[in-house]
Amino acid sequence: MANITFHNEPASTAGELPKVGTIAANFVAVGSDLKEKSLSDYKGQRVVLNIFPSVDTGVCAASVRRFNKEAANLPNTKVLCISKDLPFAMARFCGAEGLNNVVVLSDFRGDFSKKYPLELVDTPLKGLLSRAVIVLDEEERVIYTEQVEEITNEPDYEAALKALK
């Protein structure tokens, strides 16, 4: 269980991030087209998992925008933005913002939070995913992780991008 904060108050997740060097667990989530997608759909590509509570918050929206901008310059890399938002909300946000370099995935009927136990177990955000970044190489090996210590902060984009170089 990760011990983090939400507005400087203690918060906990159901479990921990995967360890660097391990093979990432396959998962199923729902795309904006309502079709199920899995991590294995991206095998052979580098993958950034941008995990967050809800695209309807300023910090989460900022992370999607930033990773969308960065993804345009990342060869053989997919950025998967994952939350428990409904696929409709994710598609609406990306459409309104003109974001087309990221893939949005919803865990509303997937198994992401079972394979990656990053769901918040307390705080007003209980049931949503915490803010984290996981970077995978082409063989789905974890090469970088960050569990953002204060949920209201953005992730360390530079460190995540550095792992891809």
Side-chain angles (χ1 to χ4, degrees):
M1 174 178 350
N3 293 309
I4 53 179
T5 58
F6 175 59
H7 292 296
N8 299 312
E9 294 293 325
S12 302
T13 63
E16 301 286 335
L17 289 167
K19 301 285 184 221
V20 171
T22 62
I23 298 298
N26 195 28
F27 63 85
V28 174
V30 180
S32 58
D33 58 1
L34 299 180
K35 293 181 181 172
E36 290 185 349
K37 312 270 193 244
S38 68
L39 178 59
S40 61
D41 293 337
Y42 305 96
K43 190 154 182 91
Q45 298 177 71
R46 302 179 310 168
V47 175
V48 176
L49 303 177
N50 177 33
I51 305 152
F52 51 87
S54 175
V55 76
D56 286 325
T57 67
V59 176
C60 299
S63 75
V64 175
R65 286 185 199 105
R66 175 71 184 268
F67 276 119
N68 181 76
K69 177 183 172 193
E70 299 294 346
N73 301 313
L74 297 172
N76 195 39
T77 304
K78 290 290 183 193
V79 176
L80 309 181
C81 295
I82 304 169
S83 76
K84 289 203 175 188
D85 287 310
L86 290 176
F88 313 111
M90 304 269 275
R92 181 182 62 244
F93 172 79
C94 287
E97 297 274 333
L99 308 179
N100 54 16
N101 296 323
V102 295
V103 176
V104 291
L105 297 174
S106 172
D107 191 35
F108 89 105
R109 71 166 190 237
D111 65 357
F112 180 82
S113 58
K114 289 179 180 43
K115 303 286 181 82
Y116 296 79
L118 302 173
E119 188 172 292
L120 292 159
V121 296
D122 47 24
T123 80
L125 299 179
K126 180 179 179 177
L128 297 177
L129 298 174
S130 64
R131 185 175 322 287
V133 176
I134 303 170
V135 180
L136 312 174
D137 68 12
E138 294 86 348
E139 286 81 42
E140 298 178 346
R141 186 171 314 280
V142 177
I143 59 173
Y144 172 82
T145 64
E146 178 191 11
Q147 174 71 66
V148 179
E149 290 183 13
E150 166 55 50
I151 296 169
T152 61
N153 291 341
E154 292 183 56
D156 185 345
Y157 302 108
E158 285 73 25
L161 296 168
K162 184 178 178 185
L164 292 166
K165 296 183 179 178

